[in-house]
Amino acid sequence: MAVPAKNIPAPDLVPVRRALLSVFDKTGLIDFAKALAAAGVELVSTGGTAKEIAGAGLAVRDVSELTGFPEIMDGRVKTLHPSVHGALLGVRDDPEHAKAMHDHHIQPIDLVVSNLYPFEEVRRSGAGYASIVENIDIGGPAMIRASAKNHAYVAIVTDPADYASVLNALEMNLGSLSLDFRKKLAAKAFARTATYDAAISGWFAEVLEIEHPTWRAFGGRLDQVMRYGENPHQGAGFYLSGDKRPGVATARQLQGKQLSYNNINDTDAAFELVGEFDPARSAAIAIIKHANPCGVAEGETLKAAYAKALACDPVSAYGGIVAMNRTLDAKAADEIVKTFTEVIIAPDATDEATAIVAAKKNLRLLVTGGLPDPRAAGTIAKSVAGGLLVQSRDNAVVDDLELKVVTKRAPTPAEMADLKFAFRVAKHVKSNAIVYAKDGATVGIGAGQMSRVDSSRIAARKALDAAEAAGLAEPLTKGSVVASDAFFPFADGLLSAIEAGATAVIQPGGSMRDDDVIAAADEHGIAMVFTGVRHFRH
């Protein structure tokens, strides 16, 4: 049964006469405290916050004066006291509450300024278990939630970015804050504690290796409000989870207009793909359109890799995303800007390359400082009606797999290198995925089809189109290898690839008709390798 409400109407304007300030992040604290004091607000504070305020020459009461009890246990216990929480939770227009406050000498607090121990930052720093636990704030969330619940009388500020708006509102309302403003502060406060608790619960699940906790929470902080989502009639915002995995969320944007919803989605796909390629082995370029690669290649240089990647599907590359695994240099930049491109993302960029890209004022250039680790564990969530689908990141890497030759003919060393390359790319192509590759470059990609045969045919057709555009006598699928993200359920998909010119195949295997598929490969002298790992990507 729900807790009954007394239905006492909340006042619109509440004068701010006493403020409790207790913050870890002291950004803007002194200027804010000075402005409050100048407005006649009594300042109450705790620990280091009180010392900093007093050090600025401001009058401040220590919270122990309100509680009659000193801070103990290294500051773990300081605000957890009825004199504080009664001051925050008391319904001042309720006669019973008012009497209790009077009888117990509880002085109301009208404004609370609190932010939390940096749990998220300490967790990301690689600190030990004890240090991480010590940075789980208890008193702060308790005060924040109490103040937010009683927003009818108390204003709660959890973000230094809101100090200016609070001061402006106080000035506009002659020292009071409106109910609407207090509600908005409360909503933000509850969102902050929810995100904080999500980080803590997620960390515990990770440490204890609980793959599927009974309660799962995700949180994030708004980074930007976007003009629209996937389509102009959809609203959208970009939230940061705090994960420091190199990518679009952690990158620095050196130039160009604001990223759109689709830009961010596609750029993430591009950089995750190119992260599969070790920069110490070769340069690599991935060109992405609508979250699918339209060209991927390795080369001695980024310029060479870009030329090979572009040749796979130069039509689709128009308006695409270009990702690379090495520092963007001037030669590569010169080539990339010749084709209309939405975003370039790289670990870094030289000054010369940055200047070349700057000539295209709308072209976004992002630098990340590193590459995402394709082997790293992680969690992926997808919303469905009424719930979330949560799974671990697909961190299987072809170089780590035990590849099994299942045909009479084994791949040549050159074919095996291309097979691994193609399977690495297929991991990042929407299912059903077919990828033709030759000499360390994609030469045909079929993505997102309901039938694997259709994906194979589309990839071959696009290879024909690319050959015509380049003036070649035959498509580059002739003499190529082919990768399939999942097994061939029938031999027809394989036969389609053979017809396109493939000489070797890599696929997971595991179909009831594997023997039929292997027999078809042997009949045509095709080498086939099983990986034992599927890469569905929906």
Side-chain angles (χ1 to χ4, degrees), residues 202-251:
W203 172 73
F204 267 113
E206 179 183 302
V207 169
L208 298 176
E209 298 182 349
I210 302 171
E211 188 174 3
H212 303 296
T214 303
W215 296 97
R216 170 74 81 171
F218 295 94
R221 182 186 179 104
L222 181 65
D223 181 66
Q224 59 178 280
V225 176
M226 299 172 161
R227 288 172 55 209
Y228 54 83
E230 283 187 285
N231 300 290
H233 63 278
Q234 294 173 265
F238 185 36
Y239 288 80
L240 304 182
S241 68
D243 184 358
K244 292 303 182 184
R245 183 176 179 84
V248 64
T250 57

Side-chain angles (χ1 to χ4, degrees), residues 151-168:
H151 59 267
Y153 301 94
V154 182
I156 172 64
V157 183
T158 56
D159 187 349
D162 291 330
Y163 291 169
S165 62
V166 171
L167 294 175
N168 182 62

Side-chain angles (χ1 to χ4, degrees), residues 394-446:
D394 183 357
N395 61 354
V397 174
V398 68
D399 293 329
D400 303 335
L401 303 181
E402 185 177 345
L403 304 183
K404 180 182 178 183
V405 178
V406 295
T407 47
K408 294 176 182 177
R409 183 174 81 80
T412 67
E415 285 175 329
M416 183 60 84
D418 278 340
L419 287 170
K420 289 183 177 181
F421 171 90
F423 201 67
R424 194 174 284 117
V425 174
K427 173 181 172 181
H428 295 267
V429 179
K430 302 292 184 183
S431 300
N432 287 308
I434 292 292
V435 176
Y436 293 89
K438 186 176 182 179
D439 299 329
T442 56
V443 294
I445 299 172

Side-chain angles (χ1 to χ4, degrees), residues 11 20 31 39 136 141 145 157 174 201 229 233 267 301 373 463 516 535:
L20 172 56
D31 288 342
I136 297 175
R145 288 175 59 82
V157 183
L174 303 177
S201 63
H233 63 278
T267 302
T301 65
D373 179 1
D516 294 342
H535 281 312

Side-chain angles (χ1 to χ4, degrees), residues 3 48 125 141 143 147 156 198 228 276 294 354 415:
V3 177
S125 73
M143 279 199 307
S147 304
I156 172 64
Y228 54 83
E276 299 277 350
C294 50
T354 303
E415 285 175 329

Side-chain angles (χ1 to χ4, degrees), residues 56-386:
L58 298 173
V60 58
R61 292 178 66 189
D62 193 277
V63 74
S64 61
E65 293 183 39
L66 298 185
T67 64
F69 205 89
E71 290 186 19
I72 60 173
M73 300 178 182
D74 299 319
R76 282 190 172 197
V77 180
K78 51 192 174 187
T79 59
L80 296 168
H81 192 280
S83 291
V84 173
H85 284 272
L88 300 179
L89 286 167
V91 178
R92 300 172 195 177
D93 294 318
D94 183 325
E96 292 181 15
H97 287 216
K99 183 178 185 303
M101 293 177 75
H102 177 269
D103 291 348
H104 296 285
H105 309 289
I106 295 174
Q107 302 170 320
I109 295 171
D110 311 305
L111 173 67
V112 173
V113 183
S114 180
N115 53 59
L116 306 173
Y117 291 169
F119 173 85
E120 295 101 330
E121 289 79 4
V122 173
R123 174 192 178 186
R124 290 193 297 266
S125 73
Y129 185 93
S131 294
I132 294 174
V133 169
E134 196 59 34
N135 279 276
I136 297 175
D137 204 328
I138 300 301
M143 279 199 307
I144 290 170
R145 288 175 59 82
S147 304
K149 176 174 181 173
N150 202 29
H151 59 267
Y153 301 94
V154 182
I156 172 64
V157 183
T158 56
D159 187 349
D162 291 330
Y163 291 169
S165 62
V166 171
L167 294 175
N168 182 62
L170 284 170
E171 184 177 356
M172 294 288 291
N173 293 300
L174 303 177
S176 297
L177 293 176
S178 70
L179 178 60
D180 182 64
F181 190 74
R182 299 194 305 273
K183 284 180 178 178
K184 290 176 180 177
L185 291 174
K188 185 170 184 176
F190 278 123
R192 175 63 188 115
T193 57
T195 301
Y196 195 73
D197 285 340
I200 295 168
S201 63
W203 172 73
F204 267 113
E206 179 183 302
V207 169
L208 298 176
E209 298 182 349
I210 302 171
E211 188 174 3
H212 303 296
T214 303
W215 296 97
R216 170 74 81 171
F218 295 94
R221 182 186 179 104
L222 181 65
D223 181 66
Q224 59 178 280
V225 176
M226 299 172 161
R227 288 172 55 209
Y228 54 83
E230 283 187 285
N231 300 290
H233 63 278
Q234 294 173 265
F238 185 36
Y239 288 80
L240 304 182
S241 68
D243 184 358
K244 292 303 182 184
R245 183 176 179 84
V248 64
T250 57
R252 286 189 303 121
Q253 184 169 344
L254 300 187
Q255 73 141 68
K257 59 185 179 181
Q258 183 185 33
L259 292 162
S260 71
Y261 181 99
N262 291 330
N263 290 153
I264 290 174
N265 186 57
D266 293 350
T267 302
D268 177 70
F271 206 57
E272 286 291 325
L273 193 166
V274 87
E276 299 277 350
F277 296 92
D278 183 356
R281 185 183 66 223
S282 65
I285 291 281
I287 306 173
I288 298 291
K289 193 73 169 288
H290 301 308
N292 270 312
C294 50
V296 184
E298 292 181 294
E300 288 293 321
T301 65
L302 289 174
K303 179 181 178 180
Y306 178 74
K308 292 165 69 177
L310 183 64
C312 179
D313 189 353
V315 174
S316 297
Y318 183 87
I321 312 293
V322 176
M324 60 205 66
N325 67 344
R326 289 181 178 175
T327 297
L328 176 66
D329 55 46
K331 291 182 179 179
D334 260 332
E335 290 302 312
I336 293 170
V337 298
K338 290 176 182 177
T339 298
F340 170 58
T341 300
E342 291 277 3
V343 181
I344 298 173
I345 184 168
D348 205 348
T350 66
D351 292 341
E352 294 83 359
T354 303
I356 291 168
V357 176
K360 305 288 185 179
K361 64 178 182 178
N362 289 331
L363 172 56
R364 296 89 159 180
L365 175 59
L366 308 179
V367 294
T368 64
L371 290 169
D373 179 1
R375 295 176 173 85
T379 302
I380 307 297
K382 178 181 179 180
S383 64
V384 295

